[in-house]
Amino acid sequence: MSIQELKLGFKDCSDCPIRHRAVCARCEADELAVLDEIKYYRSYEAGQTVVWSGDHMDFVASVVSGIATLSQTMEDGRTQMVGLLLPSDFVGRPGRDEAAFDVTATTNLVMCCFRRKPFEKMMAETPHIAQRLLEMTLDELDAAREWMLLLGRKTAREKIASLIAIIARRDATLTKGGGTPKTFDLPLTRDAMSNYLGLTLETVSRQISALKKDGVIQLEGKRHVTIPDFQRLLDETGDDADGGYLV
């Protein structure tokens, strides 16, 4: 597997595009300096495996750009995608030296990696990191519960609308763009979406076409999406108005 260190388009952590959402979000300048000593960047091409379930992991990481999937392969060879890693999401678990899931780059992927042992030591000494990681873990738990609902009870149309809404909200948060309309590129192929949502490829294509026909979304090519009215998309997700929408 080809892994290379990158020279990114920012000079230090303060210029990082995920700085306000990543595990280091609350770190002070001196804490960032310590993190800088144990970090390095890795890049992966779309389709490359970052780590296999059960493999030894000597690092933890934050996704800087691109998308990765979390999946699990069963004994009979069937594979189920169980999660998405979007920019600012955390990869790996301090205190565990084996990967729990297969991690695969869906698009070209850049990760900011930290050597695991020094990171664990810093967690013990730096409340800002431990607190932020706890918050991110609780957010991930909430998201997992939401996906249980999505996969188990929602219609095909609601599943597609929910996935598009989640990606759109994360994109808007990371780019600090809160206006309407929202425009972004879908990070997943329709085949990957079908795998993730437990739908057939034909159903995914049909529902995306239906959302386009009804004016809920606009499409340029297969992945460039514009949402003219975000509230209308949210209305298609099947979530009640009191529960809020998880990102």
Side-chain angles (χ1 to χ4, degrees):
M1 178 175 60
S2 174
I3 303 174
Q4 65 183 56
E5 292 197 21
L6 295 182
K7 291 183 178 179
L8 301 180
F10 50 89
K11 295 180 179 179
D12 54 43
C13 290
S14 62
D15 298 320
C16 178
I18 61 168
R19 170 75 170 88
H20 61 294
R21 283 187 60 91
V23 69
C24 55
R26 290 195 172 86
C27 289
E28 304 292 344
D30 58 334
E31 296 164 341
L32 289 177
V34 176
L35 275 178
D36 193 58
E37 294 178 357
I38 64 172
K39 80 176 184 184
Y40 57 96
Y41 295 100
R42 286 181 172 177
S43 66
Y44 300 83
E45 295 180 357
Q48 280 190 303
T49 299
V50 176
V51 66
W52 294 102
S53 174
D55 280 357
H56 177 75
M57 281 190 71
D58 59 0
F59 70 95
V60 294
S62 293
V63 176
V64 177
S65 64
I67 306 292
T69 60
L70 297 172
S71 60
Q72 187 67 274
T73 301
M74 292 175 276
E75 290 184 359
D76 61 4
R78 288 177 295 164
T79 299
Q80 176 62 52
M81 194 184 305
V82 297
L84 288 177
L85 294 170
L86 303 173
S88 79
D89 283 343
F90 194 73
V91 185
R93 183 181 297 182
R96 175 183 287 181
D97 60 4
E98 291 186 355
F101 300 100
D102 299 338
V103 181
T104 306
T106 302
T107 66
N108 290 342
L109 181 72
V110 176
M111 297 197 310
C112 178
C113 303
F114 306 99
R115 289 182 284 120
R116 187 170 58 82
K117 290 297 184 182
F119 185 85
E120 290 172 353
K121 181 176 183 294
M122 191 172 179
M123 274 188 63
E125 299 172 350
T126 308
H128 287 153
I129 291 180
Q131 180 185 21
R132 177 58 184 155
L133 189 57
L134 174 61
E135 291 173 351
M136 295 174 74
T137 301
L138 294 175
D139 287 344
E140 185 178 341
L141 176 60
D142 285 342
R145 289 168 173 165
E146 179 72 1
W147 277 114
M148 289 173 62
L149 170 64
L150 185 153
L151 294 175
R153 303 298 296 177
K154 290 191 176 184
T155 67
R157 184 181 177 102
E158 289 170 345
K159 288 180 179 181
I160 297 296
S162 296
L163 180 59
I164 293 174
I166 287 170
I167 295 171
R169 295 190 74 164
R170 285 293 298 273
D171 182 84
T173 301
L174 288 166
T175 58
K176 301 181 180 179
T180 298
K182 300 183 185 299
T183 300
F184 58 97
D185 290 322
L186 282 174
L188 298 175
T189 65
R190 295 187 183 188
D191 186 55
M193 291 173 69
S194 69
N195 183 8
Y196 189 34
L197 298 174
L199 302 171
T200 65
L201 176 59
E202 293 75 13
T203 297
V204 170
S205 295
R206 185 166 58 249
Q207 294 302 328
I208 289 177
S209 295
L211 290 171
K212 177 183 177 182
K213 180 180 179 181
D214 294 342
V216 180
I217 62 173
Q218 298 170 0
L219 275 179
E220 183 179 334
K222 290 189 175 182
R223 295 202 192 181
H224 192 67
V225 177
T226 298
I227 304 173
D229 183 347
F230 194 62
Q231 184 57 51
R232 186 178 177 192
L233 175 65
L234 294 180
D235 291 342
E236 296 284 350
T237 66
D239 296 319
D240 71 50
D242 295 331
Y245 302 94
L246 297 175
V247 297

